[in-house]
Amino acid sequence: MYCYEDHNLVIHGHRLIDIMPKKLPSVLEFPEIVHDNCNLLRETFENSIGGDPRSKIVYWPVYPIKTNWKRFVLDAVCDKQGFEVGSKAELVVAMTYNPKLIIVHGILDADYKSLIVKANKHSRVIVVLENTDISGLDGIDLGVKFDPRLAYEINNVAPGRLIMLHHNIGTQLEGIDDIVVELKKMLTLYNEQSINFSILDIGGGLAVAYDNAEIDYSLIDYCTNTVEVINTYAKKPVILVTEHGRWLVADSECVVASTSFEEPTHEEYSRSVLFDCMKWAIEHKTVSRWEQALVDADYYMESATAEYFNSR
């Protein structure tokens, strides 16, 4: 993703010196990273699906617009994925791209439902319901969150139209075991023959290693285990939907700022060292009285400050 060529930092094919903005601080955007991550996610899932002879899965990724709805992100995503929206504003944005699939969440007032009907003329729209009110949604495919009672109730008022089971397994998932456990729970309801489920939406959850945090699974592990569980426990074909946002775009922007360092004065440095010494003395309970802590800290402060300035 980045390297050095002739002493120049190159980020995703761009020399930093060539793309450095004139005014700082500024934000650099890399749509290529979003594009490549979309391709990598799809290819890894499709390879996992194709590598299992039992496969009964078709993969449909969607991007949750709330993660980052900057133009450069949506332009990079739109030809690779559908969109997930949770508000009227997000739905309006999604409609400008006419994606193949839009998954709708949120509170469904009359204006929102009217927009949904319009969007359904150009994209396939699936509305994830939180209650049994389906008025104003004639002809729209329906989904439900992982709630068996609500699923049966919606299926009773709209027979045959409830096609998607949705469950956001988690965010920043730390291990594969969490995914496996929740998937098995979902498939118990998905396999219910009295409901016409054909789509399984498992949300997002792929972790991003912020601050070099250790993630104990890879993208391949995630995709392989997801496919393995579905192929083992699903009793009918599955259209698999994921809603990964953070993982796709987290590293697609960076802030560039100028830095400066001002040499601390003798008084500033002494005050800083004195505070650190006092804090250490109290935390480690080397003394029981404040007066003695102050004496000890003052001694170490003078020593450390002298050493620092003598070394300059």
Side-chain angles (χ1 to χ4, degrees), residues 217-261:
Y217 63 93
S218 65
L219 176 62
I220 293 176
D221 294 331
Y222 171 81
C223 295
T224 301
N225 279 271
T226 298
V227 169
E228 168 68 21
V229 173
I230 293 174
N231 283 333
T232 300
Y233 294 96
K235 297 180 180 178
K236 53 185 176 181
V238 173
I239 296 173
L240 174 64
V241 172
T242 61
E243 300 178 5
H244 296 298
R246 186 199 312 253
W247 185 87
L248 291 178
V249 304
D251 56 355
S252 64
E253 296 179 273
C254 67
V255 177
V256 180
S258 59
T259 58
S260 61
F261 173 75

Side-chain angles (χ1 to χ4, degrees), residues 73-312:
V73 171
L74 301 184
D75 286 351
V77 168
C78 66
D79 64 333
K80 304 293 181 183
Q81 303 198 5
F83 288 127
E84 182 270 333
V85 304
S87 67
K88 284 173 281 197
E90 290 178 9
L91 179 55
V92 169
V93 172
M95 289 169 66
T96 64
Y97 288 90
N98 292 331
K100 293 181 180 180
L101 175 65
I102 303 176
I103 294 177
V104 176
H105 296 264
I107 299 174
L108 303 175
D109 59 23
D111 290 338
Y112 203 178
K113 289 179 179 179
S114 177
L115 274 175
I116 289 169
V117 172
K118 291 178 181 178
N120 197 53
K121 295 178 180 179
H122 303 284
S123 305
R124 182 175 186 181
V125 176
I126 302 175
V127 178
V128 180
L129 297 173
E130 298 183 9
N131 54 54
T132 58
D133 180 12
I134 60 171
S135 60
L137 295 174
D138 295 342
I140 307 295
D141 290 328
L142 306 176
V144 64
K145 292 185 176 180
F146 185 61
D147 181 339
R149 179 190 59 80
L150 181 59
Y152 288 117
E153 290 178 356
I154 294 173
N155 193 55
N156 287 336
V157 299
R161 290 177 56 194
L162 183 57
I163 63 170
M164 188 176 81
L165 177 61
H166 174 273
H167 181 35
N168 190 11
I169 292 176
T171 184
Q172 283 290 96
L173 293 169
E174 296 180 353
I176 291 295
D177 291 343
D178 297 332
I179 301 169
V180 171
V181 170
E182 294 303 314
L183 265 177
K184 288 180 180 179
K185 292 179 183 178
M186 288 186 74
L187 287 165
T188 300
L189 179 56
Y190 181 87
N191 287 331
E192 176 56 57
Q193 294 300 316
S194 63
I195 303 178
N196 193 34
F197 285 132
S198 59
I199 303 174
L200 192 68
D201 183 345
I202 64 174
L206 271 173
V208 174
Y210 295 115
D211 298 325
N212 295 319
E214 291 189 8
I215 308 298
D216 67 357
Y217 63 93
S218 65
L219 176 62
I220 293 176
D221 294 331
Y222 171 81
C223 295
T224 301
N225 279 271
T226 298
V227 169
E228 168 68 21
V229 173
I230 293 174
N231 283 333
T232 300
Y233 294 96
K235 297 180 180 178
K236 53 185 176 181
V238 173
I239 296 173
L240 174 64
V241 172
T242 61
E243 300 178 5
H244 296 298
R246 186 199 312 253
W247 185 87
L248 291 178
V249 304
D251 56 355
S252 64
E253 296 179 273
C254 67
V255 177
V256 180
S258 59
T259 58
S260 61
F261 173 75
E262 294 183 4
E263 187 79 22
T265 65
H266 190 284
E267 181 183 355
E268 290 171 338
Y269 190 81
S270 297
R271 190 184 304 119
S272 172
V273 175
L274 177 60
F275 175 79
D276 290 341
C277 290
M278 285 286 291
K279 182 179 178 183
W280 185 91
I282 299 302
E283 288 179 349
H284 290 77
K285 300 178 180 178
T286 57
V287 293
S288 58
R289 298 177 58 194
W290 277 90
E291 294 85 350
Q292 186 60 47
L294 183 60
V295 171
D296 290 348
D298 187 58
Y299 169 78
Y300 289 114
M301 176 270 292
E302 289 292 343
S303 177
T305 303
E307 181 180 349
Y308 173 80
F309 282 97
N310 288 337
S311 68
R312 306 306 291 169

